[in-house]
Amino acid sequence: MAPLILLLLLVPFFGYFIIKKFRTNLNPKTRILEFSMITFFVFSLFGFVCGLMMSGAEYYTAIDIVDDGYTAFASKHILTLLVFFGFSIWAIIAIWLKINQLPPLLFVLALVFLIIGMVISFVVILQLSGGVGGKGVEIIMIPLPVCYLLISILLLLKITCNQAEVSATRTYQNKFLNYINTKMAESNLQPIYVLVLLIPVFALIVAILMVFGQDYNSITKVFTETATWNFSQKTHPPALEHRGHYLCTVAVCGDAKVVTPLRLGKRYGQEIVVNRQLLIANAFEELIQESAPGLHKIIRNAYDKYGYPLSKKITTPESSNLVYRLMKPLEYLFLVVLYLFVVKPEEKINKQYAI
C-alpha cells in the first residue's frame, strides 16, 4: 500500500513540473488537458506493471489457476517488446516537447517509432482482450496501450495541422540538414519517408536485439509463446489442485452448531461447504493479492508448506471444532482489515466461492 500511496502523491507533482518547465506558452485549457494525459499515462503504466506481477507464470509451469495466472507476454522475448516500447515513449516525448525544433531526419524517425508503437499497442489490446488467462488483471493492463493510442492520434493530428507550415519556414546552418528540410517541405513527402524508413528501422532494431539473445521473430513470439491468452499457441500443463484455505476448510467439517455452515460454494469446479470464517479468510487473501502480490506469494508459499500438512491431520469433528475456535482471533483480525481497506467489505466477503 505504501508504494501506491507514494505514487498517488508524486504523479501530480511530476505532471505539474513537466508542464511548468517545458510548456510555458500554453493556454490554461491545454495545460489541464496535458496534465490529465500525463497523470493517466503514469497511472496506466503502474497498472500494467502490477498486472504483469499478478500473472507471471510461463506456459510450461503448472499452477493453481485459482490463485495464479499465466503471463500474457513471454519473458524470453519480452526484451524486444520493452525496447520498442522505450523507443515509442521517446517518440511521444520528442514530438510533444520539441515538434518544431526536431531536425527532419530525427522527426521522421520519431514518427516511425510512433507508428510502430501504435501497431504494437493495438496488438497488446487484442492479446489482453481475449482468452481466459487474466483473472481480471487485463482490466488494469489495457489502459496503457489505450492511452498510448489516444496520445499518438492526438500528436498525429497536431503534426498534420502545423508541421508543413513549420518545415517551410525552418532553416538550418548545416547545409545537408537544410537541403533535406527544404526538399521535405517542398515535396510534402514526409508520409512517404516514414513508410520508406519503417521496415529498415524495424529490421535494424531487431538485428541489434539478436545480438542480445532475442530471436528475429521475438516480436511475435512474445505474444504466441504464452498460454490462455488471445494469441497464445502453447498448451499449459494440467492445473494444480487448488487446496484453498486448509485450516478454515477443515474447520467447516466440525459440528454444525459450532462452525455454523452457511451455504454451498464452488472452488475449482467442485462444490464445497462454506462458513463465514472461510469467506472472510478468502476475502482477506484476495485483498492482499490485489494490494501486494509479492507479499502474497511469500505468505502463500509459507502457508502451503506448513498449513497443508497440518490440515491433513485434522480428521475428526472434534479437531475441526478446535481449529475453528483457534482461528477465531485471526478471523476477527481479517475482518477488521477488510473493513479498513475495502469500500464494501460485506459484498467482497459474500462473493467468495459464489456458485
Side-chain angles (χ1 to χ4, degrees), residues 70-299:
Y70 286 104
T71 179
F73 311 101
S75 60
K76 180 181 177 182
H77 308 284
I78 201 168
L79 177 62
T80 297
L81 193 65
L82 294 177
V83 168
F84 279 111
F85 176 74
F87 278 116
S88 301
I89 297 303
W90 165 81
I92 282 181
I93 296 174
I95 295 174
W96 174 48
L97 296 180
K98 297 185 176 181
I99 184 173
N100 296 334
Q101 289 81 38
L102 286 175
L105 284 179
L106 201 59
F107 176 73
V108 171
L109 283 176
L111 281 178
V112 168
F113 286 118
L114 186 73
I115 293 173
I116 290 175
M118 293 178 70
V119 174
I120 292 177
S121 295
F122 181 71
V123 176
V124 169
I125 292 173
L126 294 180
Q127 173 81 331
L128 295 174
S129 60
V132 295
K135 292 175 57 202
V137 299
E138 63 272 15
I139 297 175
I140 63 173
M141 296 175 73
I142 284 182
L144 179 63
V146 170
C147 184
Y148 180 91
L149 284 175
L150 178 60
I151 293 174
S152 299
I153 292 172
L154 291 175
L155 286 177
L156 289 176
L157 290 175
K158 182 178 180 180
I159 291 169
T160 303
C161 292
N162 71 357
Q163 190 57 32
E165 180 181 348
V166 171
S167 297
T169 58
R170 182 172 51 193
T171 59
Y172 295 92
Q173 292 182 352
N174 185 286
K175 293 183 179 180
F176 178 69
L177 290 179
N178 196 60
Y179 173 78
I180 293 177
N181 179 71
T182 302
K183 290 298 181 183
M184 284 185 174
E186 291 176 353
S187 59
N188 199 25
L189 292 178
Q190 284 181 344
I192 302 299
Y193 296 140
V194 171
L195 294 177
V196 169
L197 288 177
L198 194 61
I199 295 178
V201 170
F202 184 86
L204 178 62
I205 300 299
V206 169
I208 295 174
L209 286 169
M210 289 176 66
V211 177
F212 293 91
Q214 296 289 283
D215 295 340
Y216 71 93
N217 56 347
S218 284
I219 195 62
T220 58
K221 285 185 175 181
V222 72
F223 299 104
T224 59
E225 290 193 354
T226 56
T228 71
W229 294 90
N230 202 31
F231 295 120
S232 298
Q233 295 184 358
K234 299 295 183 178
T235 302
H236 60 79
L240 296 178
E241 177 187 359
H242 179 66
R243 292 173 289 199
H245 295 271
Y246 310 118
L247 300 180
C248 290
T249 302
V250 296
V252 181
C253 300
D255 187 349
K257 295 180 180 179
V258 177
V259 303
T260 56
L262 294 177
R263 57 174 171 82
L264 291 177
K266 181 167 288 188
R267 183 178 64 198
Y268 195 38
Q270 298 180 347
E271 287 189 348
I272 60 171
V273 177
V274 299
N275 64 351
R276 182 164 175 81
Q277 187 178 85
L278 179 57
L279 295 176
I280 291 174
N282 203 61
F284 173 78
E285 182 181 4
E286 186 179 86
L287 174 64
I288 298 298
Q289 187 176 15
E290 293 170 349
S291 304
L295 176 62
H296 171 263
K297 286 189 176 181
I298 295 174
I299 297 174

